Amino acid sequence: RVLVTFGDVALIRPESLAALLRQPVGPEAPLALLTATVQNPHGYGRVKRGPDNTVLGLVEEVDATVEERTISEMWPGVLLAWAPWLWDHLPDLPRHQKGEYYLPDLVGIARSEGRTVFGVLMQDEDEAHGVAADRPLGDADFVDLPMPKQVWDG
């Protein structure tokens, strides 16, 4: 298994990662996403869920319909993947207009193969806030999380 977390989501709690790591990713369900419901999802991609609560897809806000923009669940960039499936499908990722590859496209690939994608909802939306290029790292202090302070002793 491979755990991927974007570098700008530094507020994710260990308990949330542990809940994600408990997901049974494997050949039939190669991906699990850590998600959050946020009060103001403006600017975020949305998580589309099916009747069985699995993830059907991710849609970026710019591509979302009016109805999809009412979804308040977003994906902050943390996923668990079944390693053999991930390595086999990374070459299938399309190159986007800016020459970039988007990991969220893996969800569409898995679903197009009829595979399941799990979604684990975080308990606190503040964990999901990232620090984007247009928001300095120092602005992350808008969140007051009761995080333990640990010292790295090497």
Side-chain angles (χ1 to χ4, degrees), residues 89-112:
H89 288 80
L90 282 176
D92 299 336
L93 288 173
R95 183 178 293 211
H96 286 266
Q97 188 174 7
K98 293 181 183 178
E100 300 172 329
Y101 298 96
Y102 297 164
L103 288 179
D105 290 338
L106 291 169
V107 173
I109 293 169
R111 294 304 301 199
S112 73

Side-chain angles (χ1 to χ4, degrees), residues 8 24 29 32 37-38 40 48-49 62 66-67 71-72 108-109 112-113 121 132 136 150:
D8 68 345
T37 300
V38 296
N40 180 9
K48 296 169 53 175
R49 293 213 184 228
V62 300
V66 171
E67 182 179 338
I71 298 170
S72 60
I109 293 169
S112 73
E113 294 177 344
L121 192 60
Q150 296 177 341

